[in-house]
Amino acid sequence: MMAPGRRSSTFSRLLRHGFTDPSAAERLLESGELAPVRNDPFLLEALGGTADPDLALHGLVRLLEAQSGPTAHRELLDTLIAAKPLRDRLLGVLGASAALADHLARHPRDWHALVMYEPSDLHPGVEEFERGLAEATDPVSLRVAYRRCLLSIAARDVCGTTDVSQTAAELADLATATLRAALSIARAAAPEEAALCRLAVIAMGKCGGHELNYVSDVDVIFVGEAADGADEGKALRAATKLASHMMRICSETTIEGSIWPVDANLRPEGRNGPLVRTLSSHLAYYQRWAKTWEFQALLKARPVAGDLGLGEEYVAVVEPLVWQAAERENFVADVQKMRRRVVENIPAAEVERELKLGPGGLRDVEFAVQLLQLVHGRADASLRSGTTLDALQALAAGGYVGREDAGRLDEAYRFLRSMEHRIQLYRLRRTHLVPEGEGDLRRIGRSLDLRTDPVNELTREWKRHTGVVRRLHEKIFYRPLLDAVAQLAPGEARLSPEAARERLVALGYADPAAALRHLEALASGVSRKAAIQRTLLPVLLGWFADSADPDAGLLNFRKVSDALGKTPWYLRLLRDEGAAAENLARVLSAGRLAPDLLMRAPEAVALLGDGDGGGLEPRGRAHLEQEILAAVGRAEGSVQAVTAARGVRRRELFRTAAADIVGSYGTEAQPAEADQGALVDLVGGAVSDLTAATLAGTLRAVVRAGWGDQLPTRFAIIGMGRFGGHELGYGSDADVIFVHEPRDGVEDREASEAAHKVVSEMRRLLQIPSADPPLLIDADLRPEGKSGPLVRTLKSYEAYYRRWSLVWESQALLRAEFVAGDEELGRRFLEMVAPLRYPVRGLEEEAVREIRRLKARMEAERLPRGADPKLHTKLGPGGLSDVEWTVQLLQLQHGWELPGLRITRTREALSAARGAGLIGDEDAEILDEAWVLATRVRNAVMLVRGRAGDTFPSERRDLAAVGRYLGYGPGHVGELLDAYRRTARRARGVVEALFYGG
């Protein structure tokens, strides 16, 4: 008897051999099934060498129990103990796959499939598998024979006889043999249909690429032709019947389960297209209708079953089209967009466990390799392999991918595919999710020879390899471009100039020769600066390629680098601060305005980082005014003071533009801002605050230079139009009116002369040609317009408005807001005009008719000749003017009784009108959407072209850049224009009803 509390020696041995439930294992070893061999040291050692010793032992006992009698039982035990190859293979399978253990328990004689160990058994091909399936005559017997063949593949895999690529190739060969057997069964069931047609089965995807998983959809395309003398229509119907039956034979669940689904959705038109087409029908579709991804899929097309001659004809016909795919417009963008869409469709809870489709997963390697094959396979036939690892090796050998990068990707891909194989092998279920249970992770880790701490080692290796793929899968596309222009070691393969040109063209570069010159200037040499550039540029080139103008992005980056190359912090910022490099790439390739602002003072690059001095959040008006007034105070003379103020304005305009661009494009860490209105409000508020602070600083500089501490008259600047409404765009003038009031004891004439001199000097200083953009002051909304005096006293305004004011002036005053100067004078001005902009009892009918007449006349007379009214963002139907005049009419009519309407901002006034029930929810949303979109288009035009505009650009690349800013990818500009017309049309319908009373 064993003393209480003490463990048996067997229990301890089981623990040392990796059993997690030694008590249960001890009971199984003591069972009658294993009695003859329970003390055999080789058995315990072999069980301990499996992925899951507990699972292996349990499976072995079940297999012994299933033997037909004592003789069969003794034969299995004797062979198990005497033959180490069988012992390792059988226990290895039982310890890795519960599903194959179930199969052996149902078919206990199938263990004999693992006994053979002849040279021909080491690497079987299609022929050997066809022999293994030869006796199958129906779906059930085909499944049994398939599993028997699968046993031998799994045994070689788990024992290390074959590596992961050989295992994947064997699985593809077994699939080929299985498709042939299934088609043979289908033909036997319908011999008349079989006689009418020629049917070829083309393997696609992983089966076509000779790299299949244990459990995966087998992707196919069917090609059919009429047999000699047969009617084509009848032949295609017969072929479709055979193809459908073949698919069911493989896919349907029987008492022996299923084999795998056969998926024909990669065919032309997908599920909506005919299952079988003729060769000419396939060709016509690919020549006219096929999308980029369909040519990418055809990389792996391989005839596997049926009429192989017809299959070879199919491949010969479509192959030239595959290698022309890279010449399609937006080719790279289309491929990358499809990859992003795959990631976006993964449930958020699964994305980090998704081994195949997640970031850094298998699909990233496959997409990168296929992209390079399509670009360079046109000129280099050595790259035309459907197998990922073979293609990667060929790309490295040809210099299309750096050898070191290719080696690391190869290692990562093999590890991830091995994990995928072990995950699927366990239950023979189609999954790419890494399990969460510790037991599952332990089994997978041990199966990959991670024995010390399987769970943690597996997790660490998995994350390491996905990290490698994340870093390299896009960079391998760009790094060889640098090697093509750099000094490499003798004998090192590199891209030829023609191959580099092809790759740049595929990426969207219009001038590849210039791009290569820029790369050479930036990255050649042995300096530390060049070394850092070689690290940065592969990633930057990818971000430039994601824009509408990669050439401009690269050129601008070279200019900034030339200007800042000798400063110690510049490259360090881009290398070490995660956001800075991507933000810079976005800003430099999004249009002319932001790079132009940056080139005038390149040190503003520091704003793009996330460290001290960085951050793209626009600064508030108080902060800006404080900085500008301090700079003005330190300056000598008004010119230097205003130059300092304009320098702050230029820097902050760049900050705002960068924030707008980054928010619109999104980054790898932060998706694009979904709320378009938030981006409009950000720009409008930031530019308006900046303009107000600049005017305040300029006013201080002019007063100090001419009069010292105090002007002889109080002076205030009132913002009007978009300025007063906090809605300025990048190219907006500052609409203002000036008001003054003589100080006590100062003659009116002296005060008036001083006020006029201030205005004149402010306008001059803000427009002096310099490196900083000018700020144009527009005072045309003053009484009497251009014919009236630039500055009036408060009393003069009061007298004018009391006697001469027109309804359009009341409307203009709705946007009046104090922005700079004497705040108390500004407050009294706004109090004085309040009865004009919010008239008691609202507008009289005649005034309403006058506003409508003015609006109609403006639409008829001010729209530029030749402009498309439907695409004019300001004056066109449903544009800014429509929305603003509608809102302002509501303010004029109801502002006297509804305080919420007494606001200068269009969107807030519209929201207040909605809250008060003056406009329905749906109508308000329609007007808001139209106003926001029109404003975004105007901002985009200014960012892209560097000059203001109210219509979409006519130049193709500029229009594409506007589309990219607004969230429309390459090739989708037509959708943008349609969306604008649709949005404006709906808004015009609301305007007709609310403004014109239609």
Side-chain angles (χ1 to χ4, degrees), residues 860-878:
E861 297 177 0
R862 293 181 58 188
L863 195 71
R865 182 176 297 176
D868 182 352
K870 294 179 181 178
L871 293 176
H872 198 280
T873 60
K874 183 176 181 180
L875 301 176

Side-chain angles (χ1 to χ4, degrees), residues 737 780-785 787-789 792-810 813 829 832-833 836:
I737 56 178
D780 290 352
L781 291 175
R782 65 188 184 272
E784 302 178 76
S787 303
R792 288 176 183 260
T793 63
L794 185 62
K795 287 182 179 179
S796 175
Y797 277 108
E798 187 174 10
Y800 173 86
Y801 287 134
R802 185 172 60 249
R803 187 172 183 184
W804 304 110
S805 176
L806 300 173
V807 67
W808 74 263
E809 291 175 304
S810 293
L813 286 167
F829 175 87
M832 181 265 293
V833 300
L836 287 170

